Amino acid sequence: MNTVLILSYTKDMTYYNMLKECIESIDVDCDVVVVETNSKLKGKDIKLPAQFIFPEEEFNYNRFLNIGFSHIRDSKKVIISNNDVVYDKGCIEKLFKSLDVYDSVSPSETKIDKNIEGNTVGKLVKGWCIGLNMEVYNRMGEWDENFSFWYQDNDYCNFISREKFKHCLIGDAVAVHRVSASHSLVSDIHEMTHGLEDVLHAKWVK
């Protein structure tokens, strides 16, 4: 069974409805795992078709990804997603199928008539939705937890480029990203966004 792994902060009904719309747009048989920042929801009857995990620690994007991956058992393909994404009909299925050909994939924000290979951050690699074969994660070992929010996708792109994994934007797999809705996850917005550029530079610029 393939897995969609969603990072979420359900702080009120607006965000609950956003997460609900995200989950309901996953129109394929797969496991859905939600790593939820709002620990107050633990033990509540959340009427959404997903497994919920509640880390007992402050939000860190890559740390929460690692926690999510630790709960994935048999999946060979995983799509990581923000909670502020809505997938067009058939999008998730197309992404999973594309992972038979590519090591890593992202959806397009508008339908295009071709797939585009490459690992340009933002243009081809969408940090809010990346599908990857477990081989990629196993080679990585884990997501680098020094990247607590921004530049996680830059770090990922540098890794797959170094390891010669092939990424592709899937032109007919379309998703809508509500840009910056996920910023409510963080308390110190500068430290966890622009402040992480130095971390990326120190790791990859020799």
Side-chain angles (χ1 to χ4, degrees):
M1 183 74 73
N2 299 321
T3 299
V4 176
L5 174 61
I6 302 172
L7 299 194
S8 175
Y9 180 25
T10 310
K11 66 176 184 176
D12 55 31
M13 283 305 297
T14 297
Y15 282 80
Y16 173 86
N17 289 330
M18 183 168 64
L19 175 61
K20 181 174 183 287
E21 191 174 4
C22 176
I23 292 174
E24 289 180 344
S25 69
I26 300 170
D27 57 349
V28 64
D29 186 21
C30 65
D31 291 330
V32 179
V33 177
V34 178
V35 183
E36 174 57 56
T37 301
N38 186 358
S39 59
K40 292 180 180 179
L41 294 178
K42 188 174 183 179
K44 303 290 185 181
D45 183 18
I46 304 173
K47 299 184 183 302
L48 294 174
Q51 175 191 358
F52 279 76
I53 301 165
F54 299 92
E56 297 292 335
E57 53 195 270
E58 185 177 351
F59 174 77
N60 173 308
Y61 194 94
N62 274 1
R63 171 61 179 158
F64 279 26
L65 280 182
N66 286 328
I67 291 171
F69 270 81
S70 73
H71 285 76
I72 296 172
R73 295 291 179 258
D74 300 320
S75 295
K76 294 183 178 179
K77 303 173 184 178
V78 179
I79 293 172
I80 60 174
S81 173
N82 286 12
N83 61 331
D84 53 358
V85 183
V86 178
Y87 297 96
D88 279 10
K89 184 177 181 180
C91 177
I92 294 293
E93 182 178 8
K94 291 170 183 174
L95 292 176
F96 279 136
K97 285 185 176 179
S98 297
L99 287 170
D100 291 333
V101 179
Y102 304 103
D103 304 299
S104 173
V105 296
S106 285
S108 178
E109 295 174 77
T110 57
K111 187 175 181 178
I112 55 178
D113 60 2
K114 61 180 179 179
N115 296 337
I116 305 175
E117 295 182 19
N119 58 7
T120 306
V121 175
K123 184 177 180 181
L124 302 179
V125 179
K126 309 295 184 178
W128 42 269
C129 178
I130 297 172
L132 63 153
N133 285 306
M134 281 298 291
E135 178 189 354
V136 178
Y137 177 72
N138 291 336
R139 181 87 63 87
M140 185 190 308
E142 63 177 10
W143 301 89
D144 186 343
E145 295 177 10
N146 289 310
F147 296 95
S148 52
F149 196 38
W150 274 19
Y151 297 102
Q152 176 267 353
D153 46 357
N154 300 76
D155 180 58
Y156 176 75
C157 286
N158 287 340
F159 167 76
I160 61 175
S161 177
R162 185 188 70 191
E163 300 297 319
K164 302 189 185 308
F165 286 119
K166 187 179 293 186
H167 180 89
C168 188
L169 182 80
I170 307 304
D172 65 348
V174 179
V176 176
H177 179 220
R178 294 162 173 161
V179 180
S180 298
S182 55
H183 281 191
S184 64
L185 286 165
V186 304
S187 52
D188 188 333
I189 193 67
H190 176 77
E191 180 183 350
M192 296 183 74
T193 56
H194 298 288
L196 292 172
E197 186 174 6
D198 290 341
V199 178
L200 182 75
H201 188 274
K203 180 175 180 178
W204 292 103
V205 178
K206 304 300 182 182

